[in-house]
Amino acid sequence: MTDLRSERPEAGGADLSRLVKAYDVRGIAGVELSVDVARALGAAFADFLEAPAVIVAHDMRVSSPELADAVIDGAVRRGAFVADAGLASTDQLYCASGLHRAAGVMVTASHNPPADNGLKLCLPGAAPISRDTGLDEIRRRAEAYLATGEIPTTGEGRVQVLDTLPDYAGTLHDLVTIPSERPLRLVVDAANAMAGHTAPAVLGRLDQLELLPLHFELDGTFPNHPADPLNRENLHDLQAAVVREGADLGLAFDGDADRCVVLDESGTLVPPSAITALIARREVARAQQAGQERPAVVANLVSSRHVAETVAAAGGELVRSPVGHSLIKAIMAEHDAVFGGEHSAHYYFRDFFFADSGMLAALHVLAALAETDGPLSALVAEHDPYPSSGEINSRVEDAVAARERVRAHVRELPGASTDDLDGLTVVHWDEGAAPEDRWWFSLRSSNTEPLLRLNVEAQRESTMIRIRDEILAIAQDEDLAPAVSVWTTDGEDPAHDGDDAPVEDETGGVDGEGLSAEGGAARADGTAPVVEKTATEDPRRLPAGASGADVPAWVRSLLRCPDCGGELRDVDAALQCDGCARCHPVQDGIPVLIAGR
Protein backbone atom coordinates (compact mmCIF):
# COMPACT_ATOMS: atom_id res chain seq x y z
CA MET A 1 0.00 0.00 0.00
CA THR A 2 1.43 3.37 -1.05
CA ASP A 3 1.44 6.28 1.43
CA LEU A 4 0.34 9.46 -0.37
CA ARG A 5 -0.13 11.70 2.63
CA SER A 6 2.67 14.01 1.47
CA GLU A 7 0.20 15.37 -1.08
CA ARG A 8 -2.48 16.06 1.51
CA PRO A 9 -2.92 19.78 2.31
CA GLU A 10 -2.84 20.97 5.91
CA ALA A 11 -6.57 21.56 5.79
CA GLY A 12 -9.08 19.71 3.66
CA GLY A 13 -8.46 17.18 0.88
CA ALA A 14 -6.21 17.34 -2.15
CA ASP A 15 -7.34 19.69 -4.92
CA LEU A 16 -6.27 18.84 -8.47
CA SER A 17 -8.71 21.18 -10.20
CA ARG A 18 -5.96 23.44 -11.57
CA LEU A 19 -3.91 20.48 -12.72
CA VAL A 20 -6.68 18.56 -14.49
CA LYS A 21 -7.75 20.73 -17.42
CA ALA A 22 -10.70 20.33 -19.75
CA TYR A 23 -9.01 17.71 -21.93
CA ASP A 24 -5.71 16.78 -20.28
CA VAL A 25 -3.46 17.15 -17.23
CA ARG A 26 -0.77 19.82 -17.19
CA GLY A 27 1.43 21.45 -14.56
CA ILE A 28 4.91 21.90 -13.16
CA ALA A 29 6.61 18.54 -12.69
CA GLY A 30 7.45 17.74 -9.08
CA VAL A 31 5.36 20.65 -7.83
CA GLU A 32 1.85 20.38 -9.23
CA LEU A 33 2.36 17.06 -10.99
CA SER A 34 4.38 15.05 -8.48
CA VAL A 35 5.11 11.33 -8.51
CA ASP A 36 2.38 10.75 -5.92
CA VAL A 37 -0.16 12.70 -7.95
CA ALA A 38 0.77 10.76 -11.09
CA ARG A 39 0.38 7.49 -9.17
CA ALA A 40 -3.05 8.54 -7.89
CA LEU A 41 -4.17 9.56 -11.39
CA GLY A 42 -2.98 6.24 -12.80
CA ALA A 43 -4.98 4.39 -10.16
CA ALA A 44 -8.05 6.54 -10.74
CA PHE A 45 -7.88 5.99 -14.51
CA ALA A 46 -7.72 2.23 -14.00
CA ASP A 47 -10.78 2.46 -11.73
CA PHE A 48 -12.64 4.44 -14.39
CA LEU A 49 -12.04 1.94 -17.19
CA GLU A 50 -14.46 -0.96 -17.67
CA ALA A 51 -11.64 -3.19 -18.90
CA PRO A 52 -8.48 -1.86 -17.23
CA ALA A 53 -5.97 -2.44 -20.04
CA VAL A 54 -3.72 0.60 -20.45
CA ILE A 55 -0.76 1.50 -22.66
CA VAL A 56 1.56 4.03 -20.99
CA ALA A 57 4.21 5.96 -22.93
CA HIS A 58 6.30 9.04 -22.28
CA ASP A 59 8.31 11.72 -24.05
CA MET A 60 11.96 12.70 -23.51
CA ARG A 61 11.44 15.24 -20.71
CA VAL A 62 13.70 14.80 -17.71
CA SER A 63 10.74 14.10 -15.42
CA SER A 64 8.82 11.85 -17.82
CA PRO A 65 10.25 8.36 -17.04
CA GLU A 66 9.66 8.76 -13.31
CA LEU A 67 6.13 10.05 -13.81
CA ALA A 68 5.34 7.27 -16.28
CA ASP A 69 6.55 4.67 -13.78
CA ALA A 70 4.27 6.23 -11.16
CA VAL A 71 1.24 6.10 -13.49
CA ILE A 72 2.01 2.45 -14.22
CA ASP A 73 2.39 1.64 -10.52
CA GLY A 74 -0.94 3.25 -9.66
CA ALA A 75 -2.79 1.44 -12.44
CA VAL A 76 -1.23 -1.93 -11.58
CA ARG A 77 -2.21 -1.50 -7.93
CA ARG A 78 -5.82 -1.19 -9.08
CA GLY A 79 -5.66 -4.41 -11.07
CA ALA A 80 -4.87 -3.04 -14.53
CA PHE A 81 -2.91 -4.83 -17.21
CA VAL A 82 -0.37 -2.21 -18.32
CA ALA A 83 1.77 -2.19 -21.44
CA ASP A 84 4.84 -0.05 -20.87
CA ALA A 85 5.56 1.49 -24.29
CA GLY A 86 8.49 3.62 -23.13
CA LEU A 87 9.57 6.48 -25.40
CA ALA A 88 6.90 7.46 -27.92
CA SER A 89 5.28 10.36 -29.66
CA THR A 90 1.66 11.11 -28.81
CA ASP A 91 0.38 9.91 -32.19
CA GLN A 92 2.48 6.76 -31.70
CA LEU A 93 0.53 6.13 -28.50
CA TYR A 94 -2.77 6.84 -30.27
CA CYS A 95 -1.83 4.30 -32.92
CA ALA A 96 -1.08 1.65 -30.28
CA SER A 97 -4.36 2.45 -28.50
CA GLY A 98 -6.23 2.00 -31.76
CA LEU A 99 -4.48 -1.19 -32.83
CA HIS A 100 -4.72 -2.89 -29.42
CA ARG A 101 -8.11 -1.45 -28.42
CA ALA A 102 -6.62 -0.38 -25.10
CA ALA A 103 -6.77 2.88 -23.19
CA GLY A 104 -3.71 5.09 -23.25
CA VAL A 105 -1.74 7.51 -21.11
CA MET A 106 0.91 9.73 -22.68
CA VAL A 107 3.24 11.52 -20.26
CA THR A 108 4.12 14.76 -22.03
CA ALA A 109 3.81 18.52 -21.86
CA SER A 110 4.24 18.89 -25.63
CA HIS A 111 5.74 22.32 -26.37
CA ASN A 112 5.58 23.65 -22.78
CA PRO A 113 8.77 24.72 -20.94
CA PRO A 114 11.15 22.00 -19.69
CA ALA A 115 9.92 22.19 -16.09
CA ASP A 116 6.35 21.30 -17.08
CA ASN A 117 4.83 17.91 -17.64
CA GLY A 118 1.40 16.40 -18.06
CA LEU A 119 -0.79 13.48 -19.05
CA LYS A 120 -2.83 12.98 -22.19
CA LEU A 121 -5.41 10.25 -21.70
CA CYS A 122 -7.47 8.39 -24.27
CA LEU A 123 -10.05 5.63 -24.11
CA PRO A 124 -9.69 2.35 -26.04
CA GLY A 125 -9.36 2.92 -29.78
CA ALA A 126 -7.74 6.33 -29.19
CA ALA A 127 -11.16 7.78 -28.31
CA PRO A 128 -10.93 11.22 -26.69
CA ILE A 129 -11.76 11.88 -23.07
CA SER A 130 -12.64 15.25 -21.59
CA ARG A 131 -13.76 16.80 -18.34
CA ASP A 132 -17.36 16.07 -19.30
CA THR A 133 -16.75 12.46 -20.34
CA GLY A 134 -14.61 11.19 -17.48
CA LEU A 135 -11.72 13.46 -16.52
CA ASP A 136 -13.71 15.05 -13.70
CA GLU A 137 -14.52 11.65 -12.26
CA ILE A 138 -10.89 10.56 -12.57
CA ARG A 139 -9.79 13.75 -10.83
CA ARG A 140 -12.18 13.18 -7.92
CA ARG A 141 -11.01 9.58 -7.51
CA ALA A 142 -7.37 10.68 -7.52
CA GLU A 143 -8.11 13.39 -4.95
CA ALA A 144 -9.71 10.76 -2.72
CA TYR A 145 -6.61 8.59 -2.91
CA LEU A 146 -4.40 11.56 -2.06
CA ALA A 147 -6.69 12.61 0.79
CA THR A 148 -6.69 9.18 2.44
CA GLY A 149 -2.98 8.76 1.81
CA GLU A 150 -3.15 5.29 0.28
CA ILE A 151 -4.01 3.30 -2.81
CA PRO A 152 -5.44 -0.12 -1.85
CA THR A 153 -4.22 -3.02 -3.97
CA THR A 154 -6.88 -5.01 -5.81
CA GLY A 155 -7.00 -7.66 -8.51
CA GLU A 156 -4.03 -9.10 -10.36
CA GLY A 157 -2.46 -6.14 -12.03
CA ARG A 158 0.69 -6.66 -14.05
CA VAL A 159 2.96 -4.86 -16.52
CA GLN A 160 4.87 -5.87 -19.60
CA VAL A 161 7.01 -4.03 -22.14
CA LEU A 162 5.50 -3.17 -25.54
CA ASP A 163 7.45 -1.88 -28.56
CA THR A 164 4.98 0.25 -30.53
CA LEU A 165 7.33 1.91 -33.03
CA PRO A 166 7.32 -0.75 -35.81
CA ASP A 167 3.53 -0.97 -35.92
CA TYR A 168 3.28 2.83 -35.88
CA ALA A 169 5.62 3.22 -38.86
CA GLY A 170 3.92 0.40 -40.72
CA THR A 171 0.46 1.87 -40.15
CA LEU A 172 1.47 5.25 -41.53
CA HIS A 173 3.11 3.71 -44.59
CA ASP A 174 -0.03 1.67 -45.25
CA LEU A 175 -2.08 4.88 -45.28
CA VAL A 176 0.13 6.98 -47.57
CA THR A 177 2.35 5.84 -50.42
CA ILE A 178 4.99 8.29 -51.64
CA PRO A 179 5.81 7.85 -55.35
CA SER A 180 9.37 6.76 -55.94
CA GLU A 181 9.84 8.49 -59.30
CA ARG A 182 10.80 11.85 -57.79
CA PRO A 183 13.46 11.90 -55.08
CA LEU A 184 12.96 14.54 -52.39
CA ARG A 185 15.31 16.22 -49.94
CA LEU A 186 13.74 17.31 -46.69
CA VAL A 187 15.03 18.85 -43.49
CA VAL A 188 13.28 17.84 -40.27
CA ASP A 189 13.77 19.89 -37.10
CA ALA A 190 12.91 17.66 -34.16
CA ALA A 191 13.82 20.34 -31.58
CA ASN A 192 15.53 17.60 -29.50
CA ALA A 193 12.07 16.13 -28.97
CA MET A 194 10.07 13.09 -30.03
CA ALA A 195 10.30 13.57 -33.81
CA GLY A 196 13.95 12.64 -33.33
CA HIS A 197 12.60 9.24 -32.27
CA THR A 198 9.86 8.77 -34.90
CA ALA A 199 11.17 10.52 -38.03
CA PRO A 200 14.03 8.03 -38.64
CA ALA A 201 11.59 5.12 -38.31
CA VAL A 202 8.95 6.63 -40.62
CA LEU A 203 10.85 8.89 -43.04
CA GLY A 204 14.35 7.50 -42.84
CA ARG A 205 13.40 4.10 -44.27
CA LEU A 206 12.01 5.52 -47.54
CA ASP A 207 14.56 5.33 -50.36
CA GLN A 208 12.99 8.20 -52.30
CA LEU A 209 13.56 10.58 -49.39
CA GLU A 210 16.84 12.08 -48.29
CA LEU A 211 16.28 12.94 -44.65
CA LEU A 212 18.45 15.76 -43.34
CA PRO A 213 18.13 15.68 -39.52
CA LEU A 214 18.25 18.78 -37.37
CA HIS A 215 18.35 18.57 -33.54
CA PHE A 216 17.45 14.87 -33.44
CA GLU A 217 19.24 14.17 -30.15
CA LEU A 218 16.59 13.58 -27.47
CA ASP A 219 17.07 16.15 -24.73
CA GLY A 220 14.28 17.31 -22.44
CA THR A 221 16.13 20.52 -21.63
CA PHE A 222 15.63 21.70 -25.26
CA PRO A 223 19.21 23.00 -25.68
CA ASN A 224 18.72 24.48 -29.15
CA HIS A 225 15.26 26.03 -29.03
CA PRO A 226 11.84 25.29 -27.53
CA ALA A 227 9.86 22.49 -29.16
CA ASP A 228 7.17 24.90 -30.28
CA PRO A 229 7.01 25.29 -34.08
CA LEU A 230 4.09 27.69 -33.71
CA ASN A 231 6.56 30.36 -32.67
CA ARG A 232 8.37 31.50 -35.76
CA GLU A 233 11.45 32.33 -33.73
CA ASN A 234 11.89 28.58 -33.30
CA LEU A 235 11.92 28.08 -37.09
CA HIS A 236 15.10 30.04 -37.81
CA ASP A 237 17.37 26.97 -37.74
CA LEU A 238 15.05 25.06 -40.05
CA GLN A 239 14.65 27.95 -42.48
CA ALA A 240 18.41 28.37 -42.76
CA ALA A 241 18.95 24.63 -43.23
CA VAL A 242 16.30 24.34 -45.97
CA VAL A 243 17.94 27.11 -47.97
CA ARG A 244 21.50 25.96 -47.24
CA GLU A 245 20.82 22.36 -48.23
CA GLY A 246 18.67 23.18 -51.25
CA ALA A 247 15.93 21.04 -49.74
CA ASP A 248 12.50 20.62 -51.26
CA LEU A 249 10.79 21.38 -47.95
CA GLY A 250 11.22 21.56 -44.20
CA LEU A 251 9.18 20.01 -41.39
CA ALA A 252 9.08 21.18 -37.77
CA PHE A 253 7.41 19.17 -35.01
CA ASP A 254 6.38 20.07 -31.48
CA GLY A 255 7.55 18.31 -28.34
CA ASP A 256 5.35 15.22 -28.58
CA ALA A 257 5.38 15.30 -32.40
CA ASP A 258 1.63 15.34 -32.92
CA ARG A 259 1.74 18.78 -34.57
CA CYS A 260 3.62 19.50 -37.79
CA VAL A 261 4.52 22.80 -39.43
CA VAL A 262 5.61 22.88 -43.08
CA LEU A 263 8.08 25.21 -44.83
CA ASP A 264 8.45 25.38 -48.60
CA GLU A 265 11.71 25.25 -50.54
CA SER A 266 12.49 28.89 -49.75
CA GLY A 267 11.97 28.43 -46.02
CA THR A 268 8.62 30.20 -46.17
CA LEU A 269 5.87 29.03 -43.86
CA VAL A 270 2.96 27.20 -45.48
CA PRO A 271 -0.21 28.28 -43.63
CA PRO A 272 -1.92 25.40 -41.80
CA SER A 273 -5.19 26.15 -43.60
CA ALA A 274 -3.41 25.55 -46.91
CA ILE A 275 -2.18 22.19 -45.62
CA THR A 276 -5.71 21.39 -44.45
CA ALA A 277 -7.09 22.13 -47.92
CA LEU A 278 -4.36 20.12 -49.65
CA ILE A 279 -4.87 17.03 -47.48
CA ALA A 280 -8.67 17.36 -47.52
CA ARG A 281 -8.73 17.16 -51.31
CA ARG A 282 -6.54 14.06 -51.24
CA GLU A 283 -8.57 12.30 -48.55
CA VAL A 284 -11.90 13.12 -50.21
CA ALA A 285 -10.61 11.67 -53.48
CA ARG A 286 -9.34 8.54 -51.72
CA ALA A 287 -12.70 7.99 -50.00
CA GLN A 288 -14.56 8.48 -53.28
CA GLN A 289 -12.34 5.90 -54.95
CA ALA A 290 -13.38 3.51 -52.18
CA GLY A 291 -17.04 4.11 -53.05
CA GLN A 292 -18.04 6.86 -50.61
CA GLU A 293 -20.23 9.32 -52.47
CA ARG A 294 -19.81 12.54 -50.45
CA PRO A 295 -17.13 12.23 -47.78
CA ALA A 296 -17.23 14.66 -44.87
CA VAL A 297 -14.33 16.84 -43.76
CA VAL A 298 -14.26 18.74 -40.46
CA ALA A 299 -12.50 22.08 -40.02
CA ASN A 300 -12.75 24.48 -37.12
CA LEU A 301 -14.55 27.72 -37.70
CA VAL A 302 -11.48 29.97 -37.89
CA SER A 303 -9.91 27.99 -40.72
CA SER A 304 -9.71 29.75 -44.07
CA ARG A 305 -12.82 29.97 -46.23
CA HIS A 306 -10.74 28.29 -48.92
CA VAL A 307 -10.92 25.00 -47.02
CA ALA A 308 -14.69 24.86 -47.51
CA GLU A 309 -14.33 25.84 -51.16
CA THR A 310 -11.76 23.09 -51.74
CA VAL A 311 -13.88 20.42 -50.07
CA ALA A 312 -16.97 21.44 -52.06
CA ALA A 313 -15.03 21.47 -55.35
CA ALA A 314 -13.74 17.97 -54.58
CA GLY A 315 -17.27 16.69 -54.02
CA GLY A 316 -17.09 16.47 -50.25
CA GLU A 317 -19.09 17.99 -47.40
CA LEU A 318 -17.52 20.43 -44.95
CA VAL A 319 -18.63 20.31 -41.32
CA ARG A 320 -17.65 23.29 -39.17
CA SER A 321 -16.36 22.66 -35.67
CA PRO A 322 -15.77 24.85 -32.64
CA VAL A 323 -12.15 25.29 -31.66
CA GLY A 324 -10.97 22.35 -29.56
CA HIS A 325 -9.15 19.02 -29.81
CA SER A 326 -11.76 16.67 -28.37
CA LEU A 327 -14.57 18.59 -30.05
CA ILE A 328 -13.23 18.05 -33.54
CA LYS A 329 -12.61 14.35 -32.83
CA ALA A 330 -16.17 13.88 -31.61
CA ILE A 331 -17.65 15.69 -34.61
CA MET A 332 -15.50 13.63 -36.97
CA ALA A 333 -16.80 10.43 -35.40
CA GLU A 334 -20.39 11.69 -35.55
CA HIS A 335 -20.13 12.42 -39.29
CA ASP A 336 -17.69 9.61 -40.11
CA ALA A 337 -15.48 12.36 -41.52
CA VAL A 338 -12.49 11.21 -43.51
CA PHE A 339 -10.28 14.09 -42.38
CA GLY A 340 -10.19 17.00 -39.97
CA GLY A 341 -7.95 20.05 -39.83
CA GLU A 342 -7.35 22.80 -37.32
CA HIS A 343 -5.75 26.20 -37.83
CA SER A 344 -3.31 25.18 -35.08
CA ALA A 345 -1.54 22.67 -37.38
CA HIS A 346 -3.32 19.62 -36.01
CA TYR A 347 -4.55 17.14 -38.61
CA TYR A 348 -6.93 14.25 -37.88
CA PHE A 349 -7.58 11.13 -39.95
CA ARG A 350 -10.49 8.70 -39.89
CA ASP A 351 -8.24 5.82 -40.85
CA PHE A 352 -5.91 6.72 -38.00
CA PHE A 353 -8.60 6.11 -35.40
CA PHE A 354 -9.92 9.69 -35.80
CA ALA A 355 -6.73 10.81 -34.05
CA ASP A 356 -4.29 13.54 -35.01
CA SER A 357 -0.88 12.81 -36.43
CA GLY A 358 1.70 15.35 -37.52
CA MET A 359 3.77 12.63 -39.17
CA LEU A 360 0.83 11.35 -41.22
CA ALA A 361 0.11 14.90 -42.38
CA ALA A 362 3.78 15.23 -43.37
CA LEU A 363 3.54 12.05 -45.46
CA HIS A 364 0.54 13.49 -47.31
CA VAL A 365 2.48 16.66 -48.13
CA LEU A 366 5.47 14.63 -49.31
CA ALA A 367 3.26 12.40 -51.46
CA ALA A 368 1.48 15.36 -53.01
CA LEU A 369 4.80 17.03 -53.82
CA ALA A 370 6.29 13.83 -55.26
CA GLU A 371 3.32 13.59 -57.62
CA THR A 372 4.29 16.91 -59.24
CA ASP A 373 7.32 18.31 -61.02
CA GLY A 374 7.26 21.76 -59.43
CA PRO A 375 8.25 23.22 -56.07
CA LEU A 376 6.12 23.07 -52.95
CA SER A 377 5.46 26.81 -53.15
CA ALA A 378 3.66 26.28 -56.47
CA LEU A 379 1.72 23.31 -55.11
CA VAL A 380 0.31 25.22 -52.13
CA ALA A 381 -0.11 28.63 -53.81
CA GLU A 382 -3.67 27.84 -54.87
CA HIS A 383 -4.59 27.00 -51.27
CA ASP A 384 -3.71 30.41 -49.81
CA PRO A 385 -5.83 32.87 -51.80
CA TYR A 386 -7.32 35.19 -49.19
CA PRO A 387 -5.74 37.91 -47.02
CA SER A 388 -6.20 37.16 -43.34
CA SER A 389 -5.71 39.17 -40.16
CA GLY A 390 -4.45 36.26 -38.12
CA GLU A 391 -5.85 36.07 -34.61
CA ILE A 392 -5.99 39.43 -32.84
CA ASN A 393 -6.78 39.56 -29.13
CA SER A 394 -8.42 42.67 -27.73
CA ARG A 395 -8.37 43.20 -23.98
CA VAL A 396 -11.77 44.59 -22.98
CA GLU A 397 -13.56 45.36 -19.73
CA ASP A 398 -16.55 43.19 -20.60
CA ALA A 399 -16.08 40.67 -23.41
CA VAL A 400 -19.79 39.79 -23.60
CA ALA A 401 -20.84 43.43 -23.85
CA ALA A 402 -18.17 44.10 -26.48
CA ARG A 403 -19.31 41.18 -28.59
CA GLU A 404 -22.91 42.36 -28.33
CA ARG A 405 -21.88 45.81 -29.57
CA VAL A 406 -20.41 44.11 -32.62
CA ARG A 407 -23.55 42.02 -33.05
CA ALA A 408 -25.75 45.11 -32.96
CA HIS A 409 -23.51 46.77 -35.54
CA VAL A 410 -23.64 43.89 -38.05
CA ARG A 411 -27.43 43.70 -37.79
CA GLU A 412 -27.46 46.97 -39.70
CA LEU A 413 -25.31 45.59 -42.53
CA PRO A 414 -27.33 44.30 -45.50
CA GLY A 415 -26.29 40.88 -46.72
CA ALA A 416 -24.48 39.85 -43.52
CA SER A 417 -25.37 36.50 -41.96
CA THR A 418 -24.44 35.48 -38.42
CA ASP A 419 -24.19 32.34 -36.32
CA ASP A 420 -23.19 31.66 -32.73
CA LEU A 421 -21.09 28.52 -33.06
CA ASP A 422 -18.20 29.18 -30.67
CA GLY A 423 -18.73 32.93 -30.40
CA LEU A 424 -19.99 35.18 -33.16
CA THR A 425 -19.27 34.50 -36.83
CA VAL A 426 -20.38 37.03 -39.45
CA VAL A 427 -20.25 36.26 -43.17
CA HIS A 428 -20.64 38.87 -45.92
CA TRP A 429 -19.54 36.96 -48.99
CA ASP A 430 -22.20 37.16 -51.68
CA GLU A 431 -20.65 35.75 -54.84
CA GLY A 432 -22.64 38.29 -56.79
CA ALA A 433 -21.08 41.18 -54.88
CA ALA A 434 -17.97 43.08 -55.84
CA PRO A 435 -14.72 41.49 -54.58
CA GLU A 436 -14.14 44.36 -52.15
CA ASP A 437 -17.47 43.51 -50.45
CA ARG A 438 -16.57 39.90 -49.66
CA TRP A 439 -15.41 39.24 -46.09
CA TRP A 440 -16.10 37.27 -42.93
CA PHE A 441 -14.94 37.36 -39.34
CA SER A 442 -15.09 35.32 -36.15
CA LEU A 443 -15.18 36.93 -32.70
CA ARG A 444 -14.72 34.56 -29.75
CA SER A 445 -14.30 35.16 -26.03
CA SER A 446 -11.59 33.81 -23.79
CA ASN A 447 -12.91 31.78 -20.88
CA THR A 448 -10.34 33.02 -18.37
CA GLU A 449 -9.41 36.56 -19.42
CA PRO A 450 -11.33 39.63 -20.62
CA LEU A 451 -10.17 39.00 -24.17
CA LEU A 452 -11.94 38.86 -27.51
CA ARG A 453 -10.27 36.85 -30.26
CA LEU A 454 -10.83 38.25 -33.74
CA ASN A 455 -10.09 36.54 -37.07
CA VAL A 456 -10.88 38.37 -40.31
CA GLU A 457 -10.57 37.13 -43.88
CA ALA A 458 -11.53 38.89 -47.10
CA GLN A 459 -11.04 38.67 -50.83
CA ARG A 460 -9.11 41.93 -50.88
CA GLU A 461 -6.35 43.05 -48.52
CA SER A 462 -7.84 46.52 -48.18
CA THR A 463 -11.20 45.03 -47.23
CA MET A 464 -9.64 42.80 -44.59
CA ILE A 465 -7.86 45.79 -43.03
CA ARG A 466 -11.02 47.90 -43.09
CA ILE A 467 -13.17 45.24 -41.44
CA ARG A 468 -10.44 44.39 -38.93
CA ASP A 469 -10.06 48.00 -37.78
CA GLU A 470 -13.81 48.58 -37.76
CA ILE A 471 -14.58 45.57 -35.58
CA LEU A 472 -11.68 46.28 -33.23
CA ALA A 473 -12.89 49.85 -32.75
CA ILE A 474 -16.44 48.69 -32.00
CA ALA A 475 -15.24 46.00 -29.62
CA GLN A 476 -13.20 48.58 -27.75
CA ASP A 477 -16.03 51.11 -27.96
CA GLU A 478 -13.49 53.69 -29.13
CA ASP A 479 -12.36 55.28 -32.37
CA LEU A 480 -9.16 53.24 -32.28
CA ALA A 481 -8.78 49.96 -30.42
CA PRO A 482 -6.01 50.86 -27.95
CA ALA A 483 -5.00 47.47 -26.65
CA VAL A 484 -4.60 44.48 -28.92
CA SER A 485 -2.55 41.36 -28.92
CA VAL A 486 -1.76 39.73 -32.20
CA TRP A 487 -1.10 36.03 -32.75
CA THR A 488 -2.11 34.65 -29.35
CA THR A 489 -3.11 31.00 -28.98
CA ASP A 490 -6.26 30.05 -27.10
CA GLY A 491 -5.36 28.58 -23.78
CA GLU A 492 -1.64 28.50 -24.42
CA ASP A 493 -0.65 31.32 -22.13
CA PRO A 494 2.49 31.12 -19.98
CA ALA A 495 0.43 30.42 -16.86
CA HIS A 496 -1.14 27.34 -18.46
CA ASP A 497 -4.31 27.91 -16.53
CA GLY A 498 -6.70 26.86 -19.25
CA ASP A 499 -8.76 28.96 -21.62
CA ASP A 500 -11.17 28.19 -24.41
CA ALA A 501 -9.40 24.88 -24.00
CA PRO A 502 -6.20 24.06 -22.15
CA VAL A 503 -2.72 23.95 -23.50
CA GLU A 504 -2.43 21.10 -25.96
CA ASP A 505 -6.06 20.14 -26.05
CA GLU A 506 -5.05 21.74 -28.64
CA THR A 507 -7.01 24.77 -29.58
CA GLY A 508 -4.29 27.22 -30.43
CA GLY A 509 -3.58 29.80 -32.93
CA VAL A 510 -4.47 30.69 -36.45
CA ASP A 511 -3.02 30.39 -39.88
CA GLY A 512 0.28 32.13 -40.27
CA GLU A 513 -0.78 34.94 -42.57
CA GLY A 514 -0.62 38.53 -41.41
CA LEU A 515 1.16 40.77 -38.96
CA SER A 516 3.68 39.74 -36.36
CA ALA A 517 3.74 40.95 -32.80
CA GLU A 518 7.49 40.51 -32.81
CA GLY A 519 8.23 42.29 -36.07
CA GLY A 520 8.49 39.39 -38.46
CA ALA A 521 8.49 36.72 -35.76
CA ALA A 522 4.88 35.64 -36.09
CA ARG A 523 4.25 32.06 -35.10
CA ALA A 524 3.56 29.48 -37.70
CA ASP A 525 -0.10 29.25 -36.74
CA GLY A 526 -0.24 32.98 -36.12
CA THR A 527 0.48 32.96 -32.43
CA ALA A 528 2.83 34.89 -30.15
CA PRO A 529 2.99 36.25 -26.64
CA VAL A 530 0.36 38.81 -25.71
CA VAL A 531 1.50 42.35 -26.37
CA GLU A 532 -0.37 45.53 -25.63
CA LYS A 533 0.14 48.67 -27.69
CA THR A 534 -1.67 51.90 -26.95
CA ALA A 535 -1.96 54.52 -29.65
CA THR A 536 -1.34 57.42 -27.28
CA GLU A 537 1.75 55.72 -25.87
CA ASP A 538 3.53 55.19 -29.20
CA PRO A 539 6.71 57.33 -29.12
CA ARG A 540 6.98 57.21 -32.89
CA ARG A 541 3.85 59.25 -33.54
CA LEU A 542 4.39 62.53 -35.29
CA PRO A 543 3.99 65.77 -33.31
CA ALA A 544 0.58 67.40 -33.33
CA GLY A 545 -0.17 69.02 -36.66
CA ALA A 546 2.40 67.03 -38.61
CA SER A 547 1.46 65.09 -41.74
CA GLY A 548 1.83 61.36 -41.18
CA ALA A 549 1.38 58.09 -43.01
CA ASP A 550 -2.22 57.62 -41.86
CA VAL A 551 -1.51 54.16 -40.44
CA PRO A 552 -3.05 53.27 -37.06
CA ALA A 553 -0.35 53.46 -34.42
CA TRP A 554 -1.04 49.98 -33.07
CA VAL A 555 -0.62 48.55 -36.59
CA ARG A 556 2.58 50.51 -37.18
CA SER A 557 3.99 49.32 -33.87
CA LEU A 558 3.66 45.71 -34.97
CA LEU A 559 5.39 46.11 -38.32
CA ARG A 560 9.11 45.82 -39.10
CA CYS A 561 11.21 46.61 -42.11
CA PRO A 562 11.15 43.65 -44.54
CA ASP A 563 14.78 44.35 -45.50
CA CYS A 564 16.57 44.63 -42.17
CA GLY A 565 13.92 43.99 -39.51
CA GLY A 566 14.29 47.49 -38.08
CA GLU A 567 11.52 49.51 -36.47
CA LEU A 568 9.44 51.78 -38.67
CA ARG A 569 8.58 55.38 -37.88
CA ASP A 570 5.86 57.57 -39.31
CA VAL A 571 6.98 60.01 -42.02
CA ASP A 572 4.96 61.92 -44.57
CA ALA A 573 2.87 59.40 -46.56
CA ALA A 574 5.34 56.61 -45.74
CA LEU A 575 6.99 54.51 -43.06
CA GLN A 576 10.75 54.85 -42.71
CA CYS A 577 13.07 52.26 -41.18
CA ASP A 578 15.16 53.46 -38.24
CA GLY A 579 17.79 50.88 -39.16
CA CYS A 580 18.45 51.08 -42.91
CA ALA A 581 16.50 54.33 -43.55
CA ARG A 582 14.53 52.73 -46.39
CA CYS A 583 11.10 54.31 -46.92
CA HIS A 584 8.03 52.20 -47.59
CA PRO A 585 5.00 54.00 -49.10
CA VAL A 586 1.53 53.97 -47.62
CA GLN A 587 -1.42 53.85 -50.00
CA ASP A 588 -4.90 54.56 -48.64
CA GLY A 589 -3.70 53.76 -45.14
CA ILE A 590 -2.16 50.42 -46.20
CA PRO A 591 1.64 50.02 -45.77
CA VAL A 592 3.30 48.59 -48.86
CA LEU A 593 6.20 46.65 -47.38
CA ILE A 594 8.19 45.01 -50.16
CA ALA A 595 11.72 43.80 -49.58
CA GLY A 596 14.35 45.33 -51.83
CA ARG A 597 12.26 48.26 -53.09
Side-chain angles (χ1 to χ4, degrees), residues 541-563:
R541 297 187 75 193
L542 290 177
S547 176
D550 193 28
V551 178
W554 69 269
V555 174
R556 187 177 62 249
S557 69
L558 299 174
L559 301 177
R560 294 295 185 272
C561 176
D563 290 301

Side-chain angles (χ1 to χ4, degrees), residues 1 43 46-47 52 74-80 145 151-158:
M1 189 173 297
D47 290 341
V76 168
R77 286 177 176 276
R78 299 304 295 162
Y145 284 133
I151 297 176
T153 300
T154 184
E156 298 180 356
R158 64 191 190 279

